[in-house]
Amino acid sequence: MKNKIYKNKLLIIFAFLTLASCSEYIELENQNQIAQDGFYRDEASLNLGLTGAYSTLRNPIAYEWMLSEIRSDNTFMNLVGTTQAQNLQIYSNDIFEAPSYDSFIENYWGSTYQSIRSINGLMTGMNVTYNAASGTIDYGMLDYTIADATKKRIAGEASFMRAYHYFNLVRLYGGVFLVDKVLTSEEALKVNRASEDDIYKFIIADLKNAVANCISSTYSATAATDRGKVTTWAAKSLLAKVYLTLGQKSDALPLLTDVIANSGYSLLTGTSGYANVFASTNEMNAEMIFAVRFKAGGLGYGSSLSNLFATNTSSIASQTKLAQPAGTRGSYNNPTEEFYKSFGTSDIRRDYNIKVYKPTASSLPATWTYWAAKHNISTTVQNDSELDWPVLRYSDVLLMYCEAVGVNNATTLAYLNQVHVRAGLTALTATNVATQAAYESAVANERRWEFALENQRWFDLLRFKKTLTTVNAKAIMSNHFAEMQPFYSQYDGAYTTAQLQAKVADPKFDLLPIPNVEIVTNTTNPITQNPGY
């Protein structure tokens, strides 16, 4: 794979001219295979490279849900009669049985490293390097002229994108290849897996660089053409999540406090507030701190998820305005019945996130079909949805603050209730969160409902062992397998409840495999595989 990812002296940046606004990152003129030497010579070429780097964020999103959300208790693979290899691959990942040669695991890995390559090419073109000894991003001299603030702003945005990728990689695969510069094929073969500690050190360095140099104006003061770009507030929010993942609550708290007090971002309120956050006609609103941008119109920059997640049953599709044309619906990433029932009946997020098909009025809930609706809008061209993918939202910051403080007080209860009440629910009182376990459960549940189908749940469950210690990921998934066993028994080679529950103690629970192609093709430098694969 590294041979494919790092070509000698070549940089694929997917860079084009902007169609509507530069914050949409829509490209028209393909500049693939631009030789790196001599390409970056001025501000215009750097901005072109930056636009290309933003563009490469799209590709991993098509696979991310298969490696995160579906591994959690939120969703499952609901195609029991399937014999298609790709469907069985998703199912195997759902039950922690994905092999190291799983093509989706490999595709996510490959598309992420391709994006990192583009970012590294841009950094190399600005002579911006990672100093592993000091844990800093350093700026070298250039032989062309560009304003220092402009160079650092571009490098800050690139740093954020690279950190975002490595944060996902380290949480999914553990120690991965730390590649911070453009490499030749021969150099790439010599790179071994870095430790998780070294990867996190790199991530923190990149995010601190982004904090220091990205756009720092408040939301309302940010120009419309700059909305969608990485900001200081996005970098602080992601850095806080990194610190929480490491169990460093005291480092996360001042960052979250700053974003809440000074960024100008806020919740969208009212009965339609939650839905308006995700509306394709209300992109990059005051709640969306950072998102991966998509653009419909047959240009090749639309999202595939509206089609993938739409139900493939015509009778179900007919019950909603979110129907897709026949033959374009995937019915993947189906919400579980337990997830649906976990919502309060008056929680407006339930019916926005999950649609239900009831065959008859008298049918029992067990016969209902649940499907993902959050990212589903009608599309004219298949896999060409306009919907952006949310990465960081203001509600995330509020709930991370509650997680970082870790105890009920007037401030944490107020922030928790901002999210809770916006969903149409009665405000929680101190009595509702009187014990530590009750408080931690309330925060964990609020995150589950608020970020349904946003690929947050799996990462949350893993992180809680350091931040909300009474919320036990393995116990939750053990209960999930007990609930789901009757469904899983419909597949060939059905597992018993005990066999499914045993999976939470398997090393495969914690990490995905390093793609097998990395191991078998590198005869120069043996690559170790994760335990259990």
Side-chain angles (χ1 to χ4, degrees), residues 163-181:
Y164 160 72
H165 282 318
Y166 271 107
F167 188 35
N168 284 340
L169 286 171
V170 73
R171 290 183 295 174
L172 290 170
Y173 301 95
V176 293
F177 304 129
L178 196 165
V179 184
D180 62 325
K181 60 179 70 70

Side-chain angles (χ1 to χ4, degrees), residues 124-426:
T124 299
M126 292 186 289
N127 198 15
V128 178
T129 58
Y130 171 56
N131 186 327
S134 62
T136 57
I137 302 299
D138 295 343
Y139 290 81
M141 298 295 292
L142 295 175
D143 60 358
Y144 58 89
T145 301
I146 184 173
D148 189 62
T150 300
K151 178 181 71 172
K152 289 184 174 180
R153 189 263 306 163
I154 293 171
E157 292 179 42
S159 273
F160 175 93
M161 289 186 274
R162 187 167 62 182
Y164 160 72
H165 282 318
Y166 271 107
F167 188 35
N168 284 340
L169 286 171
V170 73
R171 290 183 295 174
L172 290 170
Y173 301 95
V176 293
F177 304 129
L178 196 165
V179 184
D180 62 325
K181 60 179 70 70
V182 176
L183 301 177
T184 66
S185 299
E186 293 75 19
E187 289 170 335
L189 287 171
K190 298 176 183 178
V191 177
N192 211 328
R193 295 180 65 182
S195 68
E196 290 188 27
D197 286 345
D198 284 344
I199 296 295
Y200 276 110
K201 183 180 178 182
F202 183 34
I203 292 167
I204 291 169
D206 259 341
L207 288 176
K208 285 184 175 179
N209 183 50
V211 166
N213 295 303
C214 289
I215 296 167
S216 60
S217 54
T218 63
Y219 175 78
S220 62
T222 301
T225 52
D226 285 336
R227 288 181 183 168
K229 293 180 179 179
V230 177
T231 65
T232 290
W233 311 113
K236 288 184 176 183
S237 300
L238 189 59
L239 181 56
K241 186 167 287 189
V242 170
Y243 282 140
L244 286 178
T245 301
L246 294 172
Q248 298 172 210
K249 292 183 177 183
S250 60
D251 291 316
L253 195 55
L255 295 166
L256 298 167
T257 300
D258 190 17
V259 175
I260 293 168
N262 300 311
S263 70
Y265 286 88
S266 60
L267 293 185
L268 303 191
T269 57
T271 56
S272 299
Y274 186 76
N276 287 339
V277 174
F278 312 101
S280 60
T281 55
N282 193 35
E283 296 173 328
M284 301 316 301
N285 53 70
E287 190 167 333
M288 199 69 75
I289 296 176
F290 187 75
V292 176
R293 310 300 307 277
F294 288 91
K295 183 67 178 177
L299 301 171
Y301 311 120
S303 170
S304 63
L305 299 184
S306 287
N307 292 109
L308 285 175
F309 295 166
T311 177
N312 62 359
T313 305
S314 297
S315 57
I316 302 175
S318 67
Q319 294 191 4
T320 174
K321 295 178 181 179
L322 304 180
Q324 299 293 339
T328 69
R329 302 187 292 268
S331 196
Y332 295 108
N333 210 25
N334 279 70
T336 61
E337 183 178 359
E338 60 176 301
F339 184 29
Y340 180 83
K341 290 182 176 179
S342 74
F343 286 92
T345 56
S346 60
D347 193 327
I348 62 175
R349 296 171 297 194
R350 184 190 68 177
D351 293 339
Y352 179 81
N353 291 314
I354 304 172
K355 295 299 178 185
V356 184
Y357 171 58
K358 306 174 186 179
T360 67
S362 61
S363 293
L364 296 174
T367 66
W368 296 359
T369 299
Y370 306 87
W371 59 282
K374 187 174 207 166
H375 309 290
N376 192 255
I377 59 174
S378 295
T379 58
T380 302
V381 177
Q382 187 175 1
N383 299 328
D384 190 42
S385 171
E386 178 78 15
L387 286 179
D388 296 338
W389 184 264
V391 174
L392 291 163
R393 299 199 280 116
Y394 184 72
S395 55
D396 197 354
V397 173
L398 292 175
L399 294 177
M400 280 196 288
Y401 180 96
C402 297
E403 191 176 337
V405 173
V407 296
N408 171 47
N409 61 35
T411 303
T412 56
L413 186 59
Y415 289 163
L416 183 59
N417 272 325
Q418 279 191 44
V419 181
H420 193 72
V421 172
R422 195 264 295 269
L425 301 169
T426 302

